[in-house]
Amino acid sequence: MGTYSRLHVPIVLGSLRDRWCVVLKPPNFSGAAAPPMPSLETTLKPLLPSGRSLSFPIKPEKEAEGLVVVATDDAMRKNLDETLRRGLVKSRYRLLVDASSHGLGVGEAKQQLQGTESKLPELSLYSGPTACPSFPEIITEMYLVTERPSTKAARELRRSLAVAGTPVMFDLAYHPDFRKRKGRSNGADGENNFSSALAGTLTMQLFELEMPDPFRQEMIKITAPMPKEWLALHPP
């Protein structure tokens, strides 16, 4: 496991000296320590004031980048847990999907999923369809969606998008042919070697949180920019 610093986990609201803050979790980081994987806890704990502890009321999707609320004492953790339980935290995801398989499509998939355990929430097409510059046969689309800030909701969203024939790029769990593409090479079969700095991550980002400020009677909104690495697959 490598050594990571605060440069790898930017704080986007507040600071570790406060009772709570919001950080931008990199892809393939867990929240709590989980050796040998990198984690928010292992990275941030050395920077924490003495006598404080770290907890993560919002459990992040490990492979994806996203905003994560950090509590630094037990009373604040309970406060934020209750806020989440009451459904007062709204989150929005940014999703870059593979639309090149010409599957059902989002609209038809929503109809087919009715009456099943899977569901597809309201997705807003942000941009695309766009051909990948290096691999024109790969068509990407970017969607925005409002969902619960939880690993379970994120996993259900990934599964439903795969049913629609528009899986999240690089999704090892649900992309039907990512493993085949990852291993392709320019050989006798003429197939391209599909590789990217994003391989092994999810092109899924929890980019916005809207929640009550624990100390003020007002709602606050925290946002994160789109990962610049996505531009290689989905240029503006």
Side-chain angles (χ1 to χ4, degrees):
M1 180 175 64
T3 301
Y4 296 90
S5 71
R6 181 174 160 182
L7 294 176
H8 296 91
V9 184
I11 297 176
V12 297
L13 180 72
S15 79
L16 289 171
R17 296 187 300 272
D18 300 328
R19 296 180 60 196
W20 76 289
C21 63
V22 177
V23 303
L24 184 60
K25 184 192 80 67
N28 292 312
F29 269 59
S30 63
M37 288 182 53
S39 68
L40 297 180
E41 183 177 8
T42 302
T43 304
L44 298 177
K45 194 171 182 178
L47 308 173
L48 201 63
S50 177
R52 295 288 188 90
S53 61
L54 291 171
S55 59
F56 309 97
I58 295 175
K59 302 300 184 290
E61 188 79 325
K62 176 177 67 69
E63 299 93 341
E65 178 177 295
L67 295 170
V68 175
V69 177
V70 180
T72 63
D73 66 49
D74 193 55
M76 181 53 66
R77 177 189 62 79
K78 292 177 180 178
N79 179 298
L80 293 170
D81 282 345
E82 178 64 13
T83 300
L84 283 163
R85 189 192 66 79
R86 294 170 60 194
L88 300 179
V89 180
K90 298 179 181 178
S91 62
R92 296 180 78 200
Y93 291 86
R94 188 180 274 130
L95 300 143
L96 185 61
V97 305
D98 183 352
S100 53
S101 66
H102 306 294
L104 292 173
V106 171
E108 187 176 343
K110 289 187 72 170
Q111 293 182 352
Q112 295 219 2
L113 288 170
Q114 288 180 357
T116 71
E117 293 183 359
S118 297
K119 65 176 183 177
L120 198 59
E122 285 301 322
L123 290 154
S124 173
L125 179 63
Y126 182 76
S127 60
T130 301
C132 178
S134 300
F135 299 91
E137 73 275 15
I138 297 174
I139 307 298
T140 59
E141 294 175 341
M142 188 179 300
Y143 287 92
L144 305 181
V145 60
T146 300
E147 254 296 359
R148 301 183 308 281
S150 71
T151 302
K152 181 178 179 181
R155 182 58 64 100
E156 179 64 29
L157 182 57
R158 292 164 57 191
R159 181 166 48 244
S160 297
L161 282 165
V163 170
T166 54
V168 175
M169 290 291 296
F170 305 110
D171 192 336
L172 284 173
Y174 298 109
H175 196 299
D177 63 350
F178 171 71
R179 291 180 184 276
K180 290 189 294 182
R181 280 182 175 165
K182 185 178 181 182
R184 287 180 180 175
S185 59
N186 292 324
D189 59 5
E191 291 180 319
N192 290 320
N193 177 28
F194 185 76
S195 61
S196 166
L198 290 164
T201 72
L202 285 173
T203 51
M204 177 179 192
Q205 181 196 39
L206 198 169
F207 78 97
E208 183 177 285
L209 288 172
E210 187 173 1
M211 57 185 288
D213 188 303
F215 300 111
R216 301 180 180 89
Q217 298 298 316
E218 61 183 33
M219 295 291 290
I220 56 174
K221 183 181 290 187
I222 309 106
T223 59
M226 185 183 79
K228 62 181 184 300
E229 293 84 0
W230 292 19
L231 295 175
L233 299 174
H234 190 84

